[in-house]
Amino acid sequence: MSPCILCQSPHGTSHSSAKSSRRREVRLQWRENNRMANVPPKYDDLGKESRDVFGKGYGFGAVKLDLKTKTKKGVELITSGSSNNDTGKVFGSLETKYKYADYGVTFGEKWTTDNVLTTQITVEDQIAKGLKLEFDTSFAPNTGKKSAKIKSAYKQDYFNGTGDVDFDFAGPTVQASAVIGYEGWVAGYQAAYDTAKSKLIGNNFSFGYRSDDFHIHSSVNDGSRFTGSVYHKINNNLEAAAQLNWASGNSSTTFQVGCKYDIDKDSSIRTKVNNTSQVGLAYTQRLRDGIKVTLSSLIDTKNLNQGGHKIGLGLDLEA
C-alpha cells in the first residue's frame, strides 16, 4: 500500500535538501580547516608567537590613538596617531579598505602625515587555490618619489612560499622564501638579490618545531646573526617566552624572558626583562565594547635614581 499523500509534508523535499546542503558546508569547512592545519607559516611568521610576547601591548615613550570603524557597505576606516614623548613628533595616518569577498579582491589606500600615499590591491584564491597576489604602489607628492612592489604567496599542505619584487629606478630587488613543514617540524630559507649591484643581500635560514602549546625556533641571518626562541602557552590565560640573540664579532649575548597573563576577559598584564636589567610592564583594560586602554612602562633597574625610564599610553577605539 502506498503511503498516504496527506501524511507527507509538502516541504519535506526542501527540508531534506537544506539539511543536505548544510552537511556539505560543514564537511567542506572541516576539510578546509584540516588542510590549513597542515600549512606551515610563511618565513616572516616563524617565531612570531614569541616575538608577540615581547612586542605586542607595549608602547614605551609614546602616546598613541587608534580608531577603527566600518561602514554599512563594508568599507573599513582606520585612523592612527602617535606622539613621541622624547622628540614631540606627531605621526598620523588614514587608511581605507574594501573587500569584494565574492571575487577575493581587497582594495586599500593609506595616507600619512609624511605626505606619502600608498595604494594596495590584493587578489587571493582566484587564479589558483592558495595563491595570493599583492600590488603595492606609493607616491610622495612633495619629493615626487615613486615606488612599486609585487608580492606573491602560495601555500599548500606542508609548504608556504613567497616571492616579491621591489621595483627601483636603479634596478629591482627580488626576494623569495620557502618553508616546508611536516608533523610539527619546520625549515625555511629566505634570500634577497639586488639586481642593480648584482649582489645577494639576504641569506637566511630557519629551523624549528611547532605544536599546539609549544614552539621552538632558531634562525641564522647572513651567517652572522643568530636567534633562538621558545614559546609556551601554559594555559588559556598564561603565555611565556624566552629569546636569545648573538652576533658574530660580539662577545656579548642578549637574552630576555617575558609573559602575558589574562586576568579576565577584559584585562591583561604583560611583563618582560632582559639581561641589561630593563623591565617592561604593560596593563591593558577593556573599558567597554570597542574601547581599550593600555598603560606601559620601561624601567632601567640599574639606574632607578637617574631617570631615563619611559612610559606610554595607548587608546584603541573600534565601532
Side-chain angles (χ1 to χ4, degrees), residues 30-250:
W30 181 86
R31 289 174 183 172
E32 179 66 15
N33 292 339
N34 188 59
R35 183 186 73 84
M36 293 304 294
N38 293 326
V39 177
K42 65 181 181 179
Y43 190 91
D44 289 340
D45 287 342
L46 294 175
K48 181 178 182 297
E49 292 79 8
S50 63
R51 292 197 300 271
D52 285 348
V53 171
F54 298 110
K56 276 191 173 182
Y58 297 100
F60 308 131
V63 177
K64 188 175 182 181
L65 171 66
D66 291 320
L67 171 63
K68 298 179 181 179
T69 61
K70 193 171 185 178
T71 67
K72 293 181 179 180
K73 291 190 175 182
V75 179
E76 294 183 33
L77 303 174
I78 305 171
T79 305
S80 298
S82 63
S83 174
N84 188 295
N85 295 341
D86 295 330
T87 64
K89 182 179 180 180
V90 177
F91 176 82
S93 66
L94 173 63
E95 184 176 0
T96 61
K97 286 185 179 180
Y98 184 72
K99 185 174 183 178
Y100 292 89
D102 294 340
Y103 302 99
V105 178
T106 302
F107 293 95
E109 284 192 344
K110 186 176 183 179
W111 198 353
T112 70
T113 50
D114 291 335
N115 205 19
V116 177
L117 179 63
T118 304
T119 302
Q120 182 184 84
I121 302 174
T122 304
V123 181
E124 189 168 5
D125 290 334
Q126 296 302 301
I127 300 175
K129 189 68 175 178
L131 178 62
K132 179 180 179 181
L133 298 175
E134 189 175 304
F135 307 90
D136 293 349
T137 62
S138 66
F139 175 61
N142 289 344
T143 62
K145 183 179 179 180
K146 304 174 184 177
S147 66
K149 295 181 181 179
I150 297 178
K151 302 179 180 179
S152 64
Y154 181 71
K155 56 186 179 181
Q156 284 297 332
D157 287 349
Y158 315 114
F159 176 81
N160 199 330
T162 65
D164 306 338
V165 180
D166 187 350
F167 293 96
D168 190 271
F169 290 110
T173 299
V174 181
Q175 179 173 286
S177 71
V179 177
I180 57 174
Y182 184 71
E183 295 187 353
W185 295 97
V186 292
Y189 176 69
Q190 183 186 62
Y193 184 77
D194 188 339
T195 60
K197 300 178 180 178
S198 299
K199 181 181 179 181
L200 191 68
I201 58 175
N203 186 32
N204 308 324
F205 297 89
S206 184
F207 183 75
Y209 178 80
R210 301 168 57 85
S211 65
D212 292 338
D213 62 347
F214 176 77
H215 300 168
I216 185 169
H217 170 252
S218 61
S219 64
V220 181
N221 296 335
D222 298 323
S224 61
R225 300 190 307 277
F226 302 84
T227 300
S229 65
V230 177
Y231 166 84
H232 185 203
K233 186 173 183 179
I234 300 170
N235 54 47
N236 290 333
N237 296 328
L238 181 60
E239 303 172 47
Q243 189 178 73
L244 182 147
N245 296 277
W246 177 75
S248 61
N250 191 339

